[in-house]
Amino acid sequence: MITLQIPVKFTNEDTIYTTKQTNIELDCTICEGKGTIVYNNKNMRCPECHGKGKFTSNKKVHTVCEEPFVISTTKISISSNGNPTVKYKGRCGFSNYNRSEDNLFLSKEDAQKRCDELNKAKISIRVEDIVIPDSFAQTQPSIDKIQAKLDYYKTNDKFEKYIVINRNNELQDGYINYLLCKLLNIEYVTVAIEV
Ligand SMILES: [Zn+2]
């Protein structure tokens, strides 16, 4: 018999949180969200939104689930090259979700941070066009950090976090991932734009 030892980040003894994508709700512009309009001194159901007061837009936003994520099943799969992937089946209140370790958090604050990052506008940009301020260019990131981020990229085929730039294409965060783009000859990368 062979015993496999697979490290898992969470067990069902942990209180953990996850995030979900929801459509943005916009207030009806005719009734200003009230659902009724005044006509001949009478309150009438708003004909624009049929009394709902809101419209569901196609735009999605990441939010933190109110209720903690309760793990019901932990699924471990091992690829042919021996890399384990851990996924969790669970529920928040009455909703069921499948989540990877990346999308589970030990606090609501951490989950919110992830949402903030995901909700930033993203564009694909030529790595060459990213401007590196001196404050980054003068730093010497540790080999360990570079190795860890490279390992993540190789395993997941994406960076753990988006490179962040401002409206002038100047790097704000993610210098190591930028260096990896150069190293790996990546031509275009998806970046988050800070406003
Ligand atoms: Zn309305």
Side-chain angles (χ1 to χ4, degrees):
M1 274 287 242
I2 298 166
T3 305
L4 284 176
Q5 283 201 330
I6 308 291
V8 294
K9 244 174 154 175
F10 308 104
T11 72
N12 51 13
E13 281 171 24
D14 296 312
T15 303
I16 50 179
Y17 296 91
T18 191
T19 66
K20 61 180 174 183
Q21 276 190 291
T22 45
N23 290 80
I24 297 180
E25 299 232 300
L26 299 171
D27 276 354
C28 171
T29 50
I30 301 296
C31 63
E32 294 171 329
K34 290 196 281 284
T36 54
I37 54 165
V38 180
Y39 182 74
N40 282 350
N41 288 327
K42 273 188 179 167
N43 272 330
M44 292 184 60
R45 194 170 75 161
C46 171
E48 183 75 3
C49 61
H50 304 289
K52 276 196 216 148
K54 288 181 195 315
F55 285 104
T56 306
S57 105
N58 289 328
K59 207 169 170 243
K60 293 200 176 212
V61 66
H62 295 264
T63 55
V64 179
C65 295
E66 268 309 305
E67 312 247 15
F69 181 87
V70 181
I71 298 171
S72 56
T73 318
T74 303
K75 282 180 162 179
I76 295 162
S77 47
I78 299 166
S79 63
S80 55
N81 62 13
N83 282 335
T85 311
V86 184
K87 291 228 167 165
Y88 301 86
K89 240 187 189 177
R91 61 189 157 75
C92 299
F94 295 113
S95 307
N96 292 303
Y97 298 110
N98 283 306
R99 289 291 183 261
S100 66
E101 295 197 318
D102 289 356
N103 289 314
L104 294 170
F105 307 88
L106 288 167
S107 71
K108 274 193 175 177
E109 288 74 30
D110 287 345
Q112 186 57 52
K113 270 188 207 158
R114 178 80 179 145
C115 288
D116 292 345
E117 198 197 331
L118 291 166
N119 289 334
K120 279 180 190 159
K122 305 211 189 40
I123 57 161
S124 177
I125 184 176
R126 266 158 61 110
V127 175
E128 245 176 58
D129 293 339
I130 300 174
V131 180
I132 306 299
D134 284 346
S135 53
F136 284 109
Q138 286 160 1
T139 59
Q140 187 66 60
S142 82
I143 300 290
D144 286 352
K145 274 190 181 171
I146 297 172
Q147 188 63 53
K149 289 185 194 288
L150 179 62
D151 288 346
Y152 186 95
Y153 182 81
K154 283 186 172 168
T155 310
N156 300 282
D157 206 25
K158 63 175 184 188
F159 294 119
E160 190 173 5
K161 281 185 177 175
Y162 289 102
I163 291 171
V164 183
I165 63 170
N166 65 15
R167 295 223 179 269
N168 300 321
N169 288 0
E170 290 168 339
L171 185 79
Q172 303 297 299
D173 196 17
Y175 184 50
I176 294 177
N177 288 343
Y178 166 83
L179 293 176
L180 289 175
C181 287
K182 290 279 203 185
L183 186 78
L184 299 165
N185 286 320
I186 296 170
E187 205 179 340
Y188 283 88
V189 68
T190 302
V191 298
I193 303 170
E194 202 146 74
V195 284

